[in-house]
């Protein structure tokens, strides 16, 4: 018999395994923003260990987003990759310098992307958007 934490973990695994590529993309962005907000909160309370953990996890998510990006699939691919590189450096600097403003800047840059991907996925008649060579929308 599974305890409640194990049940939640199992449900999360099942949700990930059954999600479409478009849904996975939005799930990654959602978790990325959770990590960034947790890091910012930890930085605000000088909990540097928790801040570092969340900033590192956010960097891992950005690395996954970047590695799945097919630059040739759509005209915005190269620009999005450049943004991922820039934000990764912001997060490295935010961690090393313990700089909450850099974390906030990363949130400001990524929040509109999170919202745009959610909007693209939710609009059945909207334009197709490409990420990782998969039609989203």
């Amino acid at each position: 018999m599974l305890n409640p934490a194990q049940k939640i973990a199992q449900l999360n695994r099942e949700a990930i395994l059954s999600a479409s590529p478009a849904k996975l993309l939005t799930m990654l962005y959602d978790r990325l923003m959770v990590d960034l907000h947790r890091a910012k909160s930890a930085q605000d309370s000088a909990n540097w260990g928790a801040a570092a953990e969340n900033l590192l996890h956010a960097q891992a998510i950005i690395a996954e987003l970047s590695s799945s990006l097919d630059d040739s699939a759509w005209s915005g691919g190269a620009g999005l990759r450049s943004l991922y590189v820039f934000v990764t450096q912001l997060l490295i600097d935010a961690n090393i310098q313990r700089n909450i403003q850099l974390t906030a800047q990363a949130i400001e840059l990524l929040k509109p992307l999170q919202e745009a991907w959610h909007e693209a996925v939710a609009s059945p008649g909207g334009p197709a958007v490409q990420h990782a060579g998969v039609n989203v929308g």
Side-chain angles (χ1 to χ4, degrees), residues 29 66 69-72 74-87 113:
Y29 266 97
S66 184
L69 181 62
D70 182 352
D71 292 19
S72 65
W74 61 291
S75 62
L80 185 55
R81 183 172 312 282
S82 294
L83 180 65
Y84 289 156
V85 169
F86 179 76
V87 171
L113 282 173

Side-chain angles (χ1 to χ4, degrees), residues 6-8 12 27 47 51 62-63 98 105 108 123 128-129:
Q6 291 171 319
K7 282 187 176 200
I8 291 171
N12 285 339
M27 291 169 77
N47 184 347
I62 293 171
R98 297 180 171 180
Q105 185 179 357
E108 288 177 31
S123 63
V129 181

Side-chain angles (χ1 to χ4, degrees), residues 119-134:
E119 193 174 304
V121 169
S123 63
V129 181
Q130 297 270 334
H131 194 285
V134 177

Side-chain angles (χ1 to χ4, degrees), residues 96-113:
I96 292 170
Q97 299 170 18
R98 297 180 171 180
N99 187 326
I100 195 170
Q101 287 80 21
L102 296 177
T103 304
Q105 185 179 357
I107 292 169
E108 288 177 31
L109 289 169
L110 294 170
K111 183 68 175 166
L113 282 173

Side-chain angles (χ1 to χ4, degrees), residues 38-48 50 100:
R38 285 179 179 169
K40 187 172 178 273
S41 177
Q43 287 173 316
D44 193 41
S45 60
N47 184 347
W48 305 117
I100 195 170

Side-chain angles (χ1 to χ4, degrees), residues 30-80:
D30 290 347
R31 180 53 200 252
L32 174 59
M33 296 309 289
V34 166
D35 287 340
L36 292 175
H37 285 286
R38 285 179 179 169
K40 187 172 178 273
S41 177
Q43 287 173 316
D44 193 41
S45 60
N47 184 347
W48 305 117
E53 181 180 335
N54 284 286
L55 289 168
L56 290 172
H57 194 254
Q59 290 171 52
I61 292 172
I62 293 171
E64 181 63 32
L65 289 167
S66 184
S67 72
S68 71
L69 181 62
D70 182 352
D71 292 19
S72 65
W74 61 291
S75 62
L80 185 55

